Amino acid sequence: MDIRDDIKFYGKLAQRKGGYVAGQIEVTSDCYQNCHACDSWKAHKTGVARGTLTMDDVVNICRQLSEMPTFEHLSFTGGDPQKWFLESFLLNHRDRFHFSLQVNTALAVDGNWELYRRGINRLRVSLDGVTKATYQKMRGVQTNPEDVLERMELLGRGSKNSEGISIATNTCVSDRNIDEVPLIIKRLNKMKNPPRKAMFLAVLGLEVGKDFWDKFAKLKEISSPKVPTSFSEDVEWVRKFTKSEHADSIPCYAGGITFHIKCDGDVYPCCLTGGEAIAMHPEFVMGNALSEPLSEISKRYRPTFHYKGKKGPCVSICQYKQLQLNRAADEASKTMMTMP
């Protein structure tokens, strides 16, 4: 599979550890929902990974990121950032930082939409069903998905003082909701303010059989005239590639320019090892952002052959964008520009 052009742009920077470009902060482990495929809320309930960063903590991290000339894009995730001091941050601190801000949320409750539109550049909305029955089965709550869609419509529409937010949806696909995916796509295409993209993440952390993959492969054939989908990011191909011999020679460069900060401040090289909705892997912790500078933590990262030997978690959990960034950086390591 070819490496996407936009990912290629960051290959040399990742290979040379040029500085953080993008990352996310898990501002709280608390959440409104109890999703079938998610480990994070279970870790919160049991106390394995429980916490909420203070406003001062997040502002300090944002200040450090804004001082990095390479940094472009930050995501707030959780839990659910709507359980955190999100509106207070947007009102009192957002204008201090000029990087792009994304919020990952189920959008399960109402908020100050005008404030959201002024302070948030991108919104990633978890949407695992568009019927009440499937939404409840997937996310463990009585939330009406039509309420979520209505909030998306409002946020995607600008006002006199602001533009609409760029919105994408994220659907975790398992055997519980795969038959509803065509309906999700159809419903999104009916929206007045449709999302810029609909992403479908296949069974991250769950085991499924051939029947599931056969169904998933057919989903890319569904017509989606207004909303691009993520089916070109072939998740089955990713799994096969990471388990192939070719992957053995490719180091992981992702942590050189990306990060995931947990709700207790621990810094991971990516959200996958950091346990966003899946199991955490504490052996990947590089330091703690509450007690030391991010610039110092980032220096500790060393590209490692995580796919080699097929024993570590990365063979099973690495996703399309991380793998393609590693391939791009690997190619960049073999490329040198001369002048003239």
Side-chain angles (χ1 to χ4, degrees):
M1 179 178 288
D2 292 339
I3 302 170
R4 229 167 58 189
D5 285 343
D6 61 322
I7 295 176
K8 284 182 181 179
F9 294 151
Y10 296 96
K12 180 62 79 171
L13 191 65
Q15 182 247 324
R16 299 301 297 269
K17 291 174 54 181
Y20 284 141
V21 171
Q24 60 184 27
I25 302 175
E26 187 178 313
V27 292
T28 179
S29 60
D30 203 359
C31 191
Y32 292 105
Q33 305 194 336
N34 303 317
C35 299
H36 161 61
C38 179
D39 279 18
S40 293
W41 69 268
K42 298 170 188 174
H44 174 82
K45 295 288 187 185
T46 59
V48 172
R50 178 191 295 162
T52 295
L53 294 173
T54 68
M55 183 70 72
D56 287 345
D57 291 334
V58 173
V59 169
N60 180 47
I61 293 169
C62 288
R63 178 189 56 76
Q64 294 180 59
L65 293 171
S66 66
E67 292 172 355
M68 296 181 181
T70 53
F71 194 73
E72 297 176 340
H73 183 68
L74 179 67
S75 297
F76 285 165
T77 189
D80 197 306
Q82 285 193 300
K83 276 277 193 178
W84 185 67
F85 324 112
L86 178 63
E87 293 190 2
S88 180
F89 176 86
L90 295 175
L91 181 64
N92 298 301
H93 302 285
R94 174 64 179 118
D95 290 344
R96 298 168 56 186
F97 309 113
H98 300 294
F99 47 70
S100 175
L101 178 66
Q102 174 174 299
V103 174
N104 301 339
T105 174
L107 210 59
V109 296
D110 287 326
N112 183 336
W113 302 144
E114 183 60 30
L115 187 60
Y116 278 40
R117 284 193 289 261
R118 288 205 309 265
I120 297 172
N121 303 98
R122 291 191 171 194
L123 201 69
R124 182 170 295 181
V125 180
S126 297
L127 188 71
D128 292 342
V130 288
T131 64
K132 289 182 181 179
T134 298
Y135 195 95
Q136 179 180 354
K137 185 164 56 175
M138 288 296 295
R139 307 192 69 83
V141 291
Q142 297 293 330
T143 302
N144 185 345
E146 283 298 323
D147 292 339
V148 176
L149 289 159
E150 178 59 28
R151 294 178 185 120
M152 289 170 57
E153 291 277 24
L154 291 170
L155 286 165
R157 182 172 67 241
S159 69
K160 290 181 180 179
N161 301 317
S162 63
E163 297 180 356
I165 301 175
S166 175
I167 298 176
T169 59
N170 190 68
T171 300
C172 292
V173 185
S174 74
D175 52 4
R176 290 188 174 200
N177 68 338
I178 190 167
D179 292 328
E180 190 154 313
V181 170
L183 190 60
I184 294 173
I185 295 173
K186 183 177 181 180
R187 179 64 182 84
L188 293 176
N189 276 274
K190 286 183 176 180
M191 292 179 67
K192 295 177 182 177
N193 300 298
R196 64 178 176 84
K197 189 173 184 180
M199 291 174 285
F200 296 91
L201 188 63
V203 292
L204 186 58
L206 300 176
E207 292 296 328
V208 292
K210 184 177 181 299
D211 288 347
F212 175 89
W213 287 117
D214 287 345
K215 282 186 177 181
F216 195 84
K218 292 179 181 178
L219 294 176
K220 67 180 67 176
E221 300 171 7
I222 297 173
S223 174
S224 185
K226 293 169 64 176
V227 183
T229 66
S230 63
F231 291 117
S232 61
E233 302 171 10
D234 192 332
V235 291
E236 191 174 12
W237 175 86
V238 172
R239 291 279 70 79
K240 289 178 180 178
F241 187 92
T242 58
K243 294 175 182 177
S244 70
E245 291 184 4
H246 185 62
D248 290 350
S249 62
I250 298 177
C252 178
Y253 291 98
I257 62 172
T258 70
F259 62 84
H260 176 84
I261 298 177
K262 294 290 288 184
C263 55
D264 60 1
D266 280 346
V267 181
Y268 288 78
C270 71
C271 61
L272 300 162
T273 56
E276 186 185 22
I278 60 175
M280 290 185 304
H281 296 278
E283 66 271 22
F284 286 85
V285 173
M286 299 190 298
N288 190 284
L290 305 186
S291 59
E292 51 190 332
L294 277 175
S295 56
E296 292 300 314
I297 296 173
S298 67
K299 292 176 184 176
R300 297 178 191 143
Y301 187 74
R302 297 288 181 274
T304 305
F305 295 92
H306 290 313
Y307 308 130
K308 191 173 184 179
K310 314 306 179 191
K311 294 180 180 180
C314 299
V315 174
S316 299
I317 65 175
C318 192
Q319 295 296 296
Y320 173 86
K321 190 172 287 186
Q322 288 87 351
L323 172 59
Q324 295 292 57
L325 179 59
N326 292 339
R327 292 180 66 209
D330 186 54
E331 287 190 11
S333 70
K334 302 164 186 173
T335 304
M336 180 182 295
M337 182 177 71
T338 61
M339 193 68 72

